[in-house]
Amino acid sequence: MEQQSIITIKKAHTIENDISKSRFIAQIKPVESEEEAKQFIAEVKQHHKEATHNCSAYTVGDNMNIQKANDDGEPSGTAGVPMLEILKKLDVHNACVVVTRYFGGIKLGGGGLIRAYSGAVRDVIHDLGRVQLLPAIPTKVTIAYDLTGKFEHELASTTFIHRDTEYTDKVSYLIDVLATEYDDFIAFLNRTTASNFEIIEEDVKRLPFDIETP
């Protein structure tokens, strides 16, 4: 099955905002399943069990097939759903975010809560940054030693991703190639080796590339 490009995050991240004496701690983490999202939420709740609220939202699936939000005691619609809407607006797939609130004694009202929770999610994503996962083909290209000079010189100026080199009686290069650039890669191999190469392809995987967050 062909893998599509999606936007997500690379790693877990945490930020904290202080609004009207309340502490809002936003934690976001990449997840691959609903079970993983639920486990992350449970871990945050356990760590912040003295908090007033631990509100959450997550999306799972290449098409955001699973979308869930929880207000955790805040007035309905003022926390979880606004948090989820930011994930969707920024097109962040396969991620779970929990915003923990330690109440500081000043009520924010419905609009204030929506701004606080959605703002916390936007801030943690902006601070961390998003990545686009693009389909790529891992390859192993093997050539003779006398071809390596020209090959390595020209490879360094391409967008092909050189992961490693293996030396035996010949030289093998482990190179990841974006699926959209594969025809160009084969043309590159033919040109730099005079078609004297062996290639082994592995199953398509997705590689992260940093993108700007609007």
Side-chain angles (χ1 to χ4, degrees), residues 8 29-34 36-37 40 58-61 93-96:
T8 186
K29 181 182 179 181
V31 294
E32 293 296 329
S33 65
E34 187 167 19
E36 195 175 342
F40 176 60
Y58 57 86
T59 73
V60 176
H93 296 67
N94 296 328
C96 179

Side-chain angles (χ1 to χ4, degrees), residues 7-11 28-30 92-95 128-131:
I7 293 172
T8 186
I9 54 171
K10 277 196 291 192
K11 61 182 180 179
I28 194 166
K29 181 182 179 181
V92 177
H93 296 67
N94 296 328
L128 171 62
R130 302 178 304 162
V131 294

